[in-house]
Amino acid sequence: MSENVPNSSAQGVVKKRSFLVAGGCALVAVAFAALPSTASYQSEDWVSKGLPMSVPGYQFVRADPNLTDCSYKMDPVTYEVLKPWGIVARVFSGNTEKTRGQAYDVVVIAGNDKDSFHDPAVCFTAQKWMLTNHRVETINTKTRGQVPVTMVDMQRDNDRSIALYVYRVRSGYVADNVGVKLRMFAHKFTHLGRDDEGGFIRIIPRSPDATAEQLKAFTADWIDEAAKSSGGYY
């Protein structure tokens, strides 16, 4: 029995079509890469005004009388590396019988540059913290439903702490760095080159005896307050 040999002219047509399809895909990829960013730039003042000054049971603490909207400022190098619209650091101290003695350090790095949505493990490690027990957990909020967050245990010499971080982009909250980069790529692809935007949120307890459940509860309340103060942006 002889094999069926495809017609040579048909093979040529198939090859030509394959070449055209491949070339078309390459042109689309080049065109997409060349699309200019159409996202608007926001000021640090705009970022600050959209973030809560209080959380139920906690009040923002002005540690420096020269600072009116944050507890402390990041150094210029941090701004150069992360390229944010703005960085707002606020410490919230408990002001009720139930929360007195507790405090939480909240940092929001807002922007639309991928560097702003960085992996905090790099910063923690540079500060000599050893990180263990990375895990994704879920917190229950009133405004955003169930929100995934990343929690990590930290140790530096005899100091021990825990930290929580999460990313906010236009499609919602994302727990990890890989996930947010994928969301940002998908947004740019489906919005004709427009950059995604939002913020990186990091929360660390200032009280050494704070538990993971207390940290999660504070974070849920902070997200609910941020949703209100930002008009739904967070």
Side-chain angles (χ1 to χ4, degrees), residues 43-53 60-73 87-92 106:
S43 67
E44 186 165 83
D45 183 61
W46 179 88
V47 175
S48 176
K49 288 179 178 177
L51 297 173
M53 298 291 280
F60 158 53
V61 178
R62 294 178 175 84
D64 186 335
N66 296 318
L67 300 175
T68 59
D69 62 349
C70 62
S71 299
Y72 58 91
K73 297 289 288 185
I87 303 176
V88 179
R90 289 178 182 161
V91 175
F92 294 87
V106 182

mmCIF file of all heavy atoms in Angstrom, residues 43-53 60-73 87-92 106:
data_model
loop_
_atom_site.group_PDB
_atom_site.id
_atom_site.type_symbol
_atom_site.label_atom_id
_atom_site.label_comp_id
_atom_site.label_asym_id
_atom_site.label_seq_id
_atom_site.Cartn_x
_atom_site.Cartn_y
_atom_site.Cartn_z
ATOM 1 N N SER A 43 -0.383 62.872 42.375
ATOM 2 C CA SER A 43 0.581 63.409 43.331
ATOM 3 C C SER A 43 0.516 62.645 44.653
ATOM 4 O O SER A 43 -0.456 61.931 44.934
ATOM 5 C CB SER A 43 0.285 64.888 43.602
ATOM 6 O OG SER A 43 -0.954 65.019 44.295
ATOM 7 N N GLU A 44 1.531 62.815 45.473
ATOM 8 C CA GLU A 44 1.536 62.181 46.786
ATOM 9 C C GLU A 44 0.417 62.756 47.664
ATOM 10 O O GLU A 44 -0.161 62.049 48.487
ATOM 11 C CB GLU A 44 2.885 62.364 47.472
ATOM 12 C CG GLU A 44 3.006 61.601 48.781
ATOM 13 C CD GLU A 44 4.428 61.489 49.274
ATOM 14 O OE1 GLU A 44 4.905 62.456 49.918
ATOM 15 O OE2 GLU A 44 5.074 60.455 49.008
ATOM 16 N N ASP A 45 0.110 64.030 47.460
ATOM 17 C CA ASP A 45 -0.981 64.641 48.207
ATOM 18 C C ASP A 45 -2.311 63.960 47.870
ATOM 19 O O ASP A 45 -3.138 63.725 48.744
ATOM 20 C CB ASP A 45 -1.059 66.144 47.886
ATOM 21 C CG ASP A 45 -2.134 66.850 48.687
ATOM 22 O OD1 ASP A 45 -2.048 66.841 49.925
ATOM 23 O OD2 ASP A 45 -3.061 67.409 48.075
ATOM 24 N N TRP A 46 -2.501 63.635 46.601
ATOM 25 C CA TRP A 46 -3.712 62.923 46.170
ATOM 26 C C TRP A 46 -3.778 61.558 46.837
ATOM 27 O O TRP A 46 -4.848 61.134 47.301
ATOM 28 C CB TRP A 46 -3.709 62.780 44.662
ATOM 29 C CG TRP A 46 -4.893 62.056 44.094
ATOM 30 C CD1 TRP A 46 -6.087 62.592 43.721
ATOM 31 C CD2 TRP A 46 -4.986 60.643 43.832
ATOM 32 N NE1 TRP A 46 -6.926 61.598 43.250
ATOM 33 C CE2 TRP A 46 -6.285 60.407 43.303
ATOM 34 C CE3 TRP A 46 -4.111 59.565 43.995
ATOM 35 C CZ2 TRP A 46 -6.716 59.125 42.935
ATOM 36 C CZ3 TRP A 46 -4.550 58.291 43.634
ATOM 37 C CH2 TRP A 46 -5.827 58.081 43.111
ATOM 38 N N VAL A 47 -2.646 60.860 46.889
ATOM 39 C CA VAL A 47 -2.590 59.547 47.528
ATOM 40 C C VAL A 47 -2.959 59.674 49.003
ATOM 41 O O VAL A 47 -3.786 58.927 49.531
ATOM 42 C CB VAL A 47 -1.188 58.924 47.384
ATOM 43 C CG1 VAL A 47 -1.106 57.610 48.159
ATOM 44 C CG2 VAL A 47 -0.840 58.692 45.917
ATOM 45 N N SER A 48 -2.349 60.642 49.671
ATOM 46 C CA SER A 48 -2.557 60.833 51.110
ATOM 47 C C SER A 48 -4.013 61.122 51.443
ATOM 48 O O SER A 48 -4.576 60.571 52.395
ATOM 49 C CB SER A 48 -1.674 61.972 51.609
ATOM 50 O OG SER A 48 -1.921 62.250 52.961
ATOM 51 N N LYS A 49 -4.650 61.971 50.648
ATOM 52 C CA LYS A 49 -6.033 62.365 50.928
ATOM 53 C C LYS A 49 -7.018 61.218 50.757
ATOM 54 O O LYS A 49 -8.121 61.258 51.312
ATOM 55 C CB LYS A 49 -6.428 63.533 50.026
ATOM 56 C CG LYS A 49 -5.763 64.847 50.414
ATOM 57 C CD LYS A 49 -6.163 65.975 49.477
ATOM 58 C CE LYS A 49 -5.525 67.288 49.920
ATOM 59 N NZ LYS A 49 -5.841 68.393 48.974
ATOM 60 N N GLY A 50 -6.631 60.198 50.017
ATOM 61 C CA GLY A 50 -7.530 59.070 49.802
ATOM 62 C C GLY A 50 -7.395 57.974 50.840
ATOM 63 O O GLY A 50 -8.139 56.984 50.795
ATOM 64 N N LEU A 51 -6.476 58.133 51.801
ATOM 65 C CA LEU A 51 -6.228 57.082 52.791
ATOM 66 C C LEU A 51 -6.795 57.472 54.157
ATOM 67 O O LEU A 51 -6.821 58.661 54.506
ATOM 68 C CB LEU A 51 -4.723 56.812 52.895
ATOM 69 C CG LEU A 51 -4.081 56.292 51.611
ATOM 70 C CD1 LEU A 51 -2.567 56.222 51.757
ATOM 71 C CD2 LEU A 51 -4.637 54.918 51.235
ATOM 72 N N PRO A 52 -7.235 56.504 54.939
ATOM 73 C CA PRO A 52 -7.887 56.810 56.220
ATOM 74 C C PRO A 52 -6.946 57.410 57.257
ATOM 75 O O PRO A 52 -5.779 57.039 57.343
ATOM 76 C CB PRO A 52 -8.421 55.450 56.682
ATOM 77 C CG PRO A 52 -7.558 54.448 55.993
ATOM 78 C CD PRO A 52 -7.190 55.049 54.680
ATOM 79 N N MET A 53 -7.488 58.340 58.042
ATOM 80 C CA MET A 53 -6.753 58.946 59.149
ATOM 81 C C MET A 53 -7.073 58.233 60.462
ATOM 82 O O MET A 53 -6.413 58.470 61.478
ATOM 83 C CB MET A 53 -7.115 60.425 59.268
ATOM 84 C CG MET A 53 -6.751 61.245 58.043
ATOM 85 S SD MET A 53 -4.957 61.420 57.820
ATOM 86 C CE MET A 53 -4.614 62.721 59.000
ATOM 87 N N PHE A 60 -4.638 57.765 64.021
ATOM 88 C CA PHE A 60 -3.353 58.077 63.382
ATOM 89 C C PHE A 60 -2.490 58.923 64.328
ATOM 90 O O PHE A 60 -2.952 59.877 64.928
ATOM 91 C CB PHE A 60 -3.634 58.805 62.067
ATOM 92 C CG PHE A 60 -2.500 59.635 61.534
ATOM 93 C CD1 PHE A 60 -1.243 59.103 61.347
ATOM 94 C CD2 PHE A 60 -2.709 60.976 61.220
ATOM 95 C CE1 PHE A 60 -0.206 59.876 60.851
ATOM 96 C CE2 PHE A 60 -1.688 61.757 60.726
ATOM 97 C CZ PHE A 60 -0.434 61.201 60.541
ATOM 98 N N VAL A 61 -1.218 58.548 64.469
ATOM 99 C CA VAL A 61 -0.291 59.220 65.375
ATOM 100 C C VAL A 61 0.706 60.054 64.578
ATOM 101 O O VAL A 61 1.406 59.529 63.707
ATOM 102 C CB VAL A 61 0.476 58.196 66.247
ATOM 103 C CG1 VAL A 61 1.476 58.908 67.149
ATOM 104 C CG2 VAL A 61 -0.487 57.362 67.061
ATOM 105 N N ARG A 62 0.765 61.346 64.878
ATOM 106 C CA ARG A 62 1.753 62.230 64.260
ATOM 107 C C ARG A 62 3.009 62.235 65.129
ATOM 108 O O ARG A 62 3.078 62.918 66.144
ATOM 109 C CB ARG A 62 1.195 63.646 64.118
ATOM 110 C CG ARG A 62 0.036 63.771 63.144
ATOM 111 C CD ARG A 62 -0.491 65.206 63.109
ATOM 112 N NE ARG A 62 -1.511 65.392 62.102
ATOM 113 C CZ ARG A 62 -2.798 65.120 62.266
ATOM 114 N NH1 ARG A 62 -3.215 64.640 63.441
ATOM 115 N NH2 ARG A 62 -3.672 65.311 61.301
ATOM 116 N N ALA A 63 3.999 61.477 64.715
ATOM 117 C CA ALA A 63 5.221 61.373 65.508
ATOM 118 C C ALA A 63 6.109 62.600 65.341
ATOM 119 O O ALA A 63 6.884 62.948 66.232
ATOM 120 C CB ALA A 63 5.991 60.112 65.101
ATOM 121 N N ASP A 64 6.005 63.265 64.191
ATOM 122 C CA ASP A 64 6.814 64.444 63.891
ATOM 123 C C ASP A 64 5.879 65.637 63.706
ATOM 124 O O ASP A 64 5.014 65.611 62.840
ATOM 125 C CB ASP A 64 7.629 64.194 62.611
ATOM 126 C CG ASP A 64 8.610 65.313 62.303
ATOM 127 O OD1 ASP A 64 8.367 66.454 62.744
ATOM 128 O OD2 ASP A 64 9.612 65.048 61.612
ATOM 129 N N PRO A 65 6.049 66.701 64.512
ATOM 130 C CA PRO A 65 5.157 67.864 64.390
ATOM 131 C C PRO A 65 5.235 68.549 63.037
ATOM 132 O O PRO A 65 4.325 69.295 62.654
ATOM 133 C CB PRO A 65 5.631 68.795 65.511
ATOM 134 C CG PRO A 65 7.030 68.356 65.819
ATOM 135 C CD PRO A 65 7.057 66.890 65.569
ATOM 136 N N ASN A 66 6.308 68.297 62.296
ATOM 137 C CA ASN A 66 6.454 68.903 60.972
ATOM 138 C C ASN A 66 5.698 68.138 59.891
ATOM 139 O O ASN A 66 5.590 68.593 58.756
ATOM 140 C CB ASN A 66 7.936 68.995 60.587
ATOM 141 C CG ASN A 66 8.717 69.904 61.514
ATOM 142 O OD1 ASN A 66 8.240 70.979 61.880
ATOM 143 N ND2 ASN A 66 9.903 69.463 61.918
ATOM 144 N N LEU A 67 5.200 66.953 60.245
ATOM 145 C CA LEU A 67 4.453 66.133 59.290
ATOM 146 C C LEU A 67 2.985 66.131 59.688
ATOM 147 O O LEU A 67 2.648 65.802 60.833
ATOM 148 C CB LEU A 67 4.999 64.700 59.274
ATOM 149 C CG LEU A 67 6.478 64.538 58.894
ATOM 150 C CD1 LEU A 67 6.901 63.081 59.046
ATOM 151 C CD2 LEU A 67 6.722 65.019 57.478
ATOM 152 N N THR A 68 2.123 66.487 58.762
ATOM 153 C CA THR A 68 0.702 66.579 59.085
ATOM 154 C C THR A 68 -0.121 65.393 58.597
ATOM 155 O O THR A 68 -1.189 65.122 59.132
ATOM 156 C CB THR A 68 0.105 67.864 58.474
ATOM 157 O OG1 THR A 68 0.281 67.832 57.050
ATOM 158 C CG2 THR A 68 0.791 69.099 59.048
ATOM 159 N N ASP A 69 0.367 64.683 57.583
ATOM 160 C CA ASP A 69 -0.448 63.611 57.000
ATOM 161 C C ASP A 69 0.216 62.241 57.055
ATOM 162 O O ASP A 69 -0.302 61.274 56.506
ATOM 163 C CB ASP A 69 -0.797 63.944 55.552
ATOM 164 C CG ASP A 69 0.437 64.058 54.661
ATOM 165 O OD1 ASP A 69 1.556 64.084 55.218
ATOM 166 O OD2 ASP A 69 0.279 64.122 53.437
ATOM 167 N N CYS A 70 1.373 62.133 57.702
ATOM 168 C CA CYS A 70 2.036 60.838 57.835
ATOM 169 C C CYS A 70 2.849 60.823 59.130
ATOM 170 O O CYS A 70 3.148 61.868 59.708
ATOM 171 C CB CYS A 70 2.916 60.529 56.628
ATOM 172 S SG CYS A 70 4.259 61.684 56.374
ATOM 173 N N SER A 71 3.206 59.625 59.572
ATOM 174 C CA SER A 71 3.979 59.486 60.807
ATOM 175 C C SER A 71 5.465 59.627 60.577
ATOM 176 O O SER A 71 6.201 60.079 61.454
ATOM 177 C CB SER A 71 3.679 58.127 61.455
ATOM 178 O OG SER A 71 2.300 58.008 61.784
ATOM 179 N N TYR A 72 5.930 59.233 59.387
ATOM 180 C CA TYR A 72 7.341 59.375 59.042
ATOM 181 C C TYR A 72 7.473 59.324 57.525
ATOM 182 O O TYR A 72 6.555 58.912 56.823
ATOM 183 C CB TYR A 72 8.199 58.282 59.695
ATOM 184 C CG TYR A 72 7.794 56.864 59.348
ATOM 185 C CD1 TYR A 72 8.357 56.196 58.255
ATOM 186 C CD2 TYR A 72 6.847 56.174 60.112
ATOM 187 C CE1 TYR A 72 7.990 54.905 57.929
ATOM 188 C CE2 TYR A 72 6.477 54.872 59.803
ATOM 189 C CZ TYR A 72 7.046 54.239 58.718
ATOM 190 O OH TYR A 72 6.688 52.957 58.390
ATOM 191 N N LYS A 73 8.616 59.760 57.028
ATOM 192 C CA LYS A 73 8.864 59.791 55.582
ATOM 193 C C LYS A 73 9.924 58.769 55.205
ATOM 194 O O LYS A 73 10.859 58.501 55.960
ATOM 195 C CB LYS A 73 9.348 61.181 55.148
ATOM 196 C CG LYS A 73 8.345 62.294 55.367
ATOM 197 C CD LYS A 73 7.182 62.201 54.405
ATOM 198 C CE LYS A 73 7.577 62.589 52.993
ATOM 199 N NZ LYS A 73 6.396 62.607 52.089
ATOM 200 N N ILE A 87 4.294 57.817 48.735
ATOM 201 C CA ILE A 87 4.403 56.827 49.806
ATOM 202 C C ILE A 87 3.855 57.462 51.075
ATOM 203 O O ILE A 87 4.310 58.536 51.484
ATOM 204 C CB ILE A 87 5.858 56.381 50.031
ATOM 205 C CG1 ILE A 87 6.461 55.808 48.740
ATOM 206 C CG2 ILE A 87 5.934 55.355 51.162
ATOM 207 C CD1 ILE A 87 7.926 55.434 48.856
ATOM 208 N N VAL A 88 2.875 56.816 51.675
ATOM 209 C CA VAL A 88 2.258 57.345 52.893
ATOM 210 C C VAL A 88 2.418 56.310 54.011
ATOM 211 O O VAL A 88 1.929 55.182 53.885
ATOM 212 C CB VAL A 88 0.773 57.670 52.675
ATOM 213 C CG1 VAL A 88 0.141 58.191 53.964
ATOM 214 C CG2 VAL A 88 0.616 58.691 51.551
ATOM 215 N N ALA A 89 3.108 56.709 55.074
ATOM 216 C CA ALA A 89 3.328 55.827 56.224
ATOM 217 C C ALA A 89 2.586 56.395 57.430
ATOM 218 O O ALA A 89 2.850 57.523 57.851
ATOM 219 C CB ALA A 89 4.823 55.727 56.528
ATOM 220 N N ARG A 90 1.665 55.634 57.971
ATOM 221 C CA ARG A 90 0.890 56.076 59.129
ATOM 222 C C ARG A 90 0.880 54.999 60.206
ATOM 223 O O ARG A 90 0.614 53.830 59.920
ATOM 224 C CB ARG A 90 -0.547 56.417 58.727
ATOM 225 C CG ARG A 90 -0.639 57.690 57.905
ATOM 226 C CD ARG A 90 -2.053 58.011 57.471
ATOM 227 N NE ARG A 90 -2.053 59.220 56.642
ATOM 228 C CZ ARG A 90 -3.024 59.575 55.814
ATOM 229 N NH1 ARG A 90 -4.095 58.819 55.715
ATOM 230 N NH2 ARG A 90 -2.922 60.683 55.100
ATOM 231 N N VAL A 91 1.160 55.425 61.422
ATOM 232 C CA VAL A 91 1.077 54.533 62.575
ATOM 233 C C VAL A 91 -0.253 54.798 63.269
ATOM 234 O O VAL A 91 -0.600 55.951 63.546
ATOM 235 C CB VAL A 91 2.241 54.767 63.553
ATOM 236 C CG1 VAL A 91 2.058 53.912 64.800
ATOM 237 C CG2 VAL A 91 3.576 54.448 62.881
ATOM 238 N N PHE A 92 -1.007 53.731 63.518
ATOM 239 C CA PHE A 92 -2.303 53.832 64.181
ATOM 240 C C PHE A 92 -2.190 53.232 65.577
ATOM 241 O O PHE A 92 -1.795 52.073 65.732
ATOM 242 C CB PHE A 92 -3.376 53.104 63.375
ATOM 243 C CG PHE A 92 -3.657 53.735 62.038
ATOM 244 C CD1 PHE A 92 -2.897 53.391 60.925
ATOM 245 C CD2 PHE A 92 -4.662 54.678 61.892
ATOM 246 C CE1 PHE A 92 -3.149 53.970 59.681
ATOM 247 C CE2 PHE A 92 -4.920 55.263 60.661
ATOM 248 C CZ PHE A 92 -4.166 54.911 59.563
ATOM 249 N N VAL A 106 1.285 51.211 59.052
ATOM 250 C CA VAL A 106 0.728 50.972 57.715
ATOM 251 C C VAL A 106 1.484 51.820 56.689
ATOM 252 O O VAL A 106 1.563 53.044 56.830
ATOM 253 C CB VAL A 106 -0.774 51.319 57.658
ATOM 254 C CG1 VAL A 106 -1.336 51.023 56.272
ATOM 255 C CG2 VAL A 106 -1.546 50.569 58.731
#
